[in-house]
Amino acid sequence: MKFACDKESLLNAVQIVQRAVSLKNPLPILGGIKFEAEDERVFLSATDLEMGIRCSFPAQVTQTGSSILPAKVISELIRRLPDLPIYIESDPLTGSTMVKYGQSEANINGYPVEEFPDFPMPESEIKFILPGDVLREMVRQVVYAAATDENRPVFTGVLLETGNGEMNMVATDTHRLAWRKINLEKYQDLNINLIIPGKTLNELIKICGSAEQNIEITVTDNQVLFNNGEVCLISRLIGGQFPNYRQVIPGEYISRIRVSTKELAEATERAALLTRDGSPIIRLKISDNTLVVSVNTEAGRVREEIAVYQEGEPLQFAFNARYLGDALKTIGSEDVNIEFTGPLSPGILRPVADIDYLSLLLPVRLRDE
Amino acid sequence: MKFACDKESLLNAVQIVQRAVSLKNPLPILGGIKFEAEDERVFLSATDLEMGIRCSFPAQVTQTGSSILPAKVISELIRRLPDLPIYIESDPLTGSTMVKYGQSEANINGYPVEEFPDFPMPESEIKFILPGDVLREMVRQVVYAAATDENRPVFTGVLLETGNGEMNMVATDTHRLAWRKINLEKYQDLNINLIIPGKTLNELIKICGSAEQNIEITVTDNQVLFNNGEVCLISRLIGGQFPNYRQVIPGEYISRIRVSTKELAEATERAALLTRDGSPIIRLKISDNTLVVSVNTEAGRVREEIAVYQEGEPLQFAFNARYLGDALKTIGSEDVNIEFTGPLSPGILRPVADIDYLSLLLPVRLRDE
């Protein structure tokens, strides 16, 4: 492999694929980035065996070939190179790769190319296209509710479900749930049901660009590919059955408040300061168009009063402040509607004037109630 | 204690004194900030018993008194308060302090006032004044060379020595040394010799403002006080004898190079990437007006060529890349002169056209030499 390129293109590509590099993995080669020089382009790829990222940039290739270089060293080196043309040449026998810049050069020992895990691009007829901004916003609004605990893998994923010209995304860690629906009129006959790892979707957010950039999604039995034209993000799918989320969303309410998202978020943050890290429980009490947020712990007390628009019965209940804060952060509207069906039933947060998004929070049962 | 104030003044003061709060200390009260309301001003102070910070801000005080509040909770709370007038009232019996903002309030449990360590302001006739920018630059240029290992306390400090109308600051961790001199013509008769903890001086840098802001330095037998008019930083002094630094600075050289500070710093950084963290040793070789920086490790090789202006004999030697990088970062001139008296004698870095500053680096002896 021999090629010349500019620093910016190379650095950009390295920084993108590096997100799939697994530094903690016991398999050293997964700490590597694969370089492949083809006609006028160099392809970079990395994988942690669950997710893979592949991208390319233009280069003057004088000899095709490939090489696996340690991601940490190569990325740190390229970041620190002077703004000069860069010439890269690898020795196919030793795997050593020379990076030449000006009068200076670095020779980096690589991994054996044949040890790098196979990384095929998923191929399938099941494809659809979404605008980058729509997909990013949709993912952002649900992915936070996925579990991080690997014990029950289904809950670490996000359900992506299409049918009848609409697409739903849902995530839940069993304490909270987030659901988002969009129209998918162009794909009336697309019927898919996938569970995508939350970790992959957190990376997808970073490669989803503007409204003008379309993301092509290709689905196979056990993989999904997101392609924005420059970067390919490939992920395995999570097997198993996602719980029936429609069943847990209450259809009616006995109380509802409309409250400023920012005011409630700030009051929640302040109240949580006096709770213990492991148990950030805050109380909410609704009566007379006033919401009182309070905590009472060994460290002290907080009592916040917020004016709200109230319908239905007075009510009091308790929430995990972190979960409430997460839900408020993603709601995306100035005011939020919160619906309740009782002190021990879930609370439902909805943006005002948007019926296609909701966050559901289970209340916390307090000992003294 | 009862007072009203605005959020910004209070937050600013809390953030300044918080730097002296010791969260790791087993004595819980050292995690507190002392509030003292006096005539039209509120004083805040904190200490880790080695260093103390005290500052004040204007407030409408309606009842004098004091209170000790947990730094973490109070700073996080104040940071998150809305921009409204803040009213603070503490209960002298329980130590509980109410923070009222708009329709809401927090009550924070405090520590007993009498348990807070005594924190007297040092008083002495030995005083002098330096412009804030001069002091800050001087500290910055030497403090990096102080040791962080507490085993030999003298080396964790910086020597501040005055006499004959000049002032010297010196720090060394025994592998490197930094020395800076300034004129102190106004204080011909001031003869002091202090060892100030490096940790204090790192905080001093943050409170030394512009050239217009003078810092008054007050010295007692075991303390030093830096006062910028708004903030007082008090520190204990380190006992013991600082080594005779003049003795280790060579008077002449057999080789000298002048090199671009930036080029050498960047080459050093790149070369260090291929070394192991615990032993970042790089080789330097000077001949024919060229400096070659190189490493050769299991991870690979780097060879950087830099054009230099050379006087004297060709020479090769090895340095710790981190120490060389630190010295180059503080040199403050576009080109640096590096003087050598031999491959196993210290190298001396000096800014071009400034004879009052130098960094000394001991070379590393390599096994194969």
Side-chain angles (χ1 to χ4, degrees), chain A residues 78-361:
Chain A
I78 291 165
R79 197 160 66 80
R80 289 181 167 81
L81 289 185
D83 269 324
L84 294 172
I86 297 171
Y87 175 74
I88 294 188
E89 180 177 339
S90 67
D91 180 334
L93 283 178
T94 63
S96 170
T97 296
M98 182 181 74
V99 180
K100 205 163 159 33
Y101 43 98
Q103 294 308 304
S104 302
E105 64 179 61
N107 284 271
I108 297 173
N109 295 337
Y111 298 107
V113 173
E114 62 279 10
E115 285 182 16
F116 199 74
D118 216 14
F119 194 68
M121 293 286 276
E123 281 177 30
S124 159
E125 294 300 308
I126 308 174
K127 282 180 198 223
F128 61 108
I129 289 172
L130 286 176
D133 59 339
V134 170
L135 182 60
R136 186 182 59 226
E137 185 61 5
M138 191 168 190
V139 168
R140 199 184 65 81
Q141 284 189 319
V142 301
V143 71
Y144 76 89
T148 48
D149 172 6
E150 301 278 343
N151 282 337
R152 288 186 291 177
V154 162
F155 295 111
T156 64
V158 172
L159 177 70
L160 188 164
E161 183 193 63
T162 67
N164 305 318
E166 60 183 50
M167 171 167 146
N168 293 284
M169 271 198 185
V170 188
T172 178
D173 62 5
T174 72
H175 304 290
R176 52 182 170 169
L177 177 148
W179 163 80
R180 174 85 201 163
K181 187 175 83 177
I182 59 168
N183 284 324
L184 209 63
E185 281 157 14
K186 275 197 276 180
Y187 302 94
Q188 285 289 344
D189 301 328
L190 184 72
N191 280 291
I192 57 173
N193 185 301
L194 322 170
I195 307 173
I196 305 170
K199 209 181 125 213
T200 304
L201 292 175
N202 279 316
E203 293 304 327
L204 177 64
I205 290 174
K206 295 173 194 155
I207 69 159
C208 281
S210 55
E212 290 79 43
Q213 194 180 43
N214 283 325
I215 311 280
E216 187 188 60
I217 304 165
T218 305
V219 179
T220 70
D221 280 350
N222 52 13
Q223 282 192 312
V224 60
L225 159 66
F226 299 93
N227 185 350
N228 75 3
E230 290 163 7
V231 181
C232 292
L233 174 66
I234 300 159
S235 175
R236 73 165 179 87
L237 296 172
I238 297 175
Q241 184 67 38
F242 202 82
N244 182 350
Y245 63 91
R246 287 184 176 86
Q247 209 173 318
V248 298
I249 301 174
E252 45 203 23
Y253 53 86
I254 57 164
S255 284
R256 182 164 87 159
I257 56 168
R258 194 172 73 219
V259 55
S260 151
T261 309
K262 183 165 177 279
E263 278 184 50
L264 180 54
E266 290 179 353
T268 299
E269 272 205 342
R270 288 189 291 263
L273 289 176
L274 290 186
T275 63
R276 278 159 302 169
D277 286 348
S279 151
I281 308 306
I282 59 172
R283 285 163 194 261
L284 285 82
K285 187 175 166 185
I286 302 161
S287 63
D288 303 326
N289 285 315
T290 303
L291 170 64
V292 174
V293 178
S294 65
V295 298
N296 191 346
T297 68
E298 281 170 19
R301 304 189 307 278
V302 171
R303 187 181 184 282
E304 299 255 354
E305 265 190 48
I306 307 172
V308 301
Y309 174 76
Q310 177 190 347
E311 293 169 68
E313 302 173 19
L315 204 68
Q316 55 179 322
F317 50 95
F319 275 153
N320 180 311
R322 189 164 65 79
Y323 293 170
L324 179 58
D326 286 350
L328 291 168
K329 238 177 253 157
T330 54
I331 212 81
S333 68
E334 204 167 310
D335 285 352
V336 54
N337 279 324
I338 312 184
E339 302 165 2
F340 305 94
T341 50
L344 297 176
S345 305
I348 308 285
L349 284 76
R350 296 182 194 267
V352 169
D354 179 356
I355 57 164
D356 290 339
Y357 178 52
L358 67 81
S359 268
L360 178 151
L361 287 185

Side-chain angles (χ1 to χ4, degrees), chain B residues 234-266:
Chain B
I234 300 159
S235 175
R236 73 167 181 86
L237 296 172
I238 296 174
Q241 185 67 39
F242 202 83
N244 183 349
Y245 63 91
R246 288 184 174 84
Q247 211 173 326
V248 298
I249 301 174
E252 46 202 24
Y253 54 85
I254 58 165
S255 284
R256 182 165 85 160
I257 56 168
R258 194 174 71 219
V259 56
S260 151
T261 309
K262 183 166 176 278
E263 278 185 48
L264 180 54
E266 290 179 353

Side-chain angles (χ1 to χ4, degrees), chain B residues 153-161 170 192-198 200-201 222 224 235-243:
Chain B
V154 161
F155 296 111
T156 63
V158 172
L159 177 70
L160 187 163
E161 183 192 64
V170 188
I192 56 173
N193 184 301
L194 323 171
I195 307 173
I196 305 171
T200 304
L201 293 175
N222 52 15
V224 60
S235 175
R236 73 167 181 86
L237 296 172
I238 296 174
Q241 185 67 39
F242 202 83

Side-chain angles (χ1 to χ4, degrees), chain B residues 40 78 85 91 240 340:
Chain B
E40 303 300 305
I78 291 166
D91 180 334
F340 306 93

Side-chain angles (χ1 to χ4, degrees), chain B residues 34 36 44 85 101 118 124 243 311 326 335 363:
Chain B
K34 185 171 190 174
E36 291 167 282
L44 261 54
Y101 42 99
D118 217 14
S124 159
E311 292 170 69
D326 286 349
D335 285 353

